[in-house]
Amino acid sequence: FSLSMFSNLKSLHLDQCPPSTIQDFFSLKSHLHTLIVINSGVTDMDKLFVPFQDKAVRNLKPMVIPGISVPIPQKYVWTSLVKLRLSNCGIVMMDQALHFFPNLEYLDLSHNFISRIIHLHDCVSLQYLNLSHNRIKTLANMDRVLGSITNFCISYNEISSLLGMDKMLSLEQFDVQFNQISDYSDIRSVCRLPCLESIWLHGNPFTQMEEYRLRVYDEFILDGSIMG
């Protein structure tokens, strides 16, 4: 079907309706502000958002690599998109499409099959990221993938270590519930992040420790003052 009659469409919500069924979907890139797609098949994000790929798109790197800069083809940029939710869409990989959302502030890719956090470093306006209910096992190199996000939900994954989160200096809200973190000392560097206000840890193996909440609270104290 076609949306050509809605020449200034700002918000689009699709439920059990794959966006690939929209004939002129790519034409929305200049004015669409919010896109919510749930319970719909989006197996390849790049084919949906960047349908006319060339070599420049394929060369985009999964994370920041020192000394290497790859220009972004501006003809593919979704200039107005601020909020994007693709939940329960069968997505298995974060791909090159994510380089074309420079003004994106809110990204929800929950309830998919994602195993690696990549291709987010050009989402320079991103503040909120929800990757809950996926298959992610590591948070290594987050400083080379994520910018200055403030709210990060990574609950219900397979994470066993918080290595890599200690450099997320702008983080305010961090939800890492129901993962596989068994070493209590693993959270110390996260609790010392300067802007952290809230952290959710329930459902990790280390929370079976006696009085674990008090121990976590102690990590927010340095020289008698509360941190974060």
Side-chain angles (χ1 to χ4, degrees), residues 154-157 174-181 187 199-208 212-213 216:
I154 195 75
S155 60
Y156 292 92
N157 275 277
F174 185 38
D175 186 348
V176 69
Q177 296 181 91
F178 295 97
N179 276 279
Q180 302 299 320
I181 302 169
I187 70 164
I199 184 170
W200 291 268
L201 300 164
H202 181 69
N204 284 283
F206 87 88
T207 62
Q208 300 303 312
Y212 91 91
R213 293 179 183 271
V216 172

Side-chain angles (χ1 to χ4, degrees), residues 18-55:
S20 58
T21 59
I22 301 175
Q23 296 174 2
D24 46 1
F25 181 78
F26 187 65
S27 66
L28 302 175
K29 71 181 182 66
S30 62
H31 51 267
L32 194 67
H33 180 279
T34 298
L35 174 62
I36 298 175
V37 182
I38 60 175
N39 308 316
S40 307
V42 183
T43 53
D44 294 301
M45 293 175 61
D46 57 350
K47 291 182 180 178
L48 174 64
F49 292 101
V50 195
F52 313 109
Q53 292 190 29
D54 51 33
K55 185 178 180 180

Side-chain angles (χ1 to χ4, degrees), residues 45-86:
M45 293 175 61
D46 57 350
K47 291 182 180 178
L48 174 64
F49 292 101
V50 195
F52 313 109
Q53 292 190 29
D54 51 33
K55 185 178 180 180
V57 175
R58 294 191 297 270
N59 285 341
L60 292 169
K61 307 302 180 185
M63 64 182 66
V64 173
I65 300 177
I68 298 180
S69 177
V70 181
I72 298 174
Q74 293 301 303
K75 60 184 177 180
Y76 299 130
V77 172
W78 288 66
T79 54
S80 299
L81 195 64
V82 174
K83 180 176 181 179
L84 175 61
R85 180 184 178 193
L86 303 174

Side-chain angles (χ1 to χ4, degrees), residues 89-104:
C89 290
I91 298 171
V92 298
M93 184 175 67
M94 301 172 71
D95 58 32
Q96 287 90 340
L98 293 166
H99 291 264
F100 298 94
F101 307 133
N103 298 310
L104 193 68

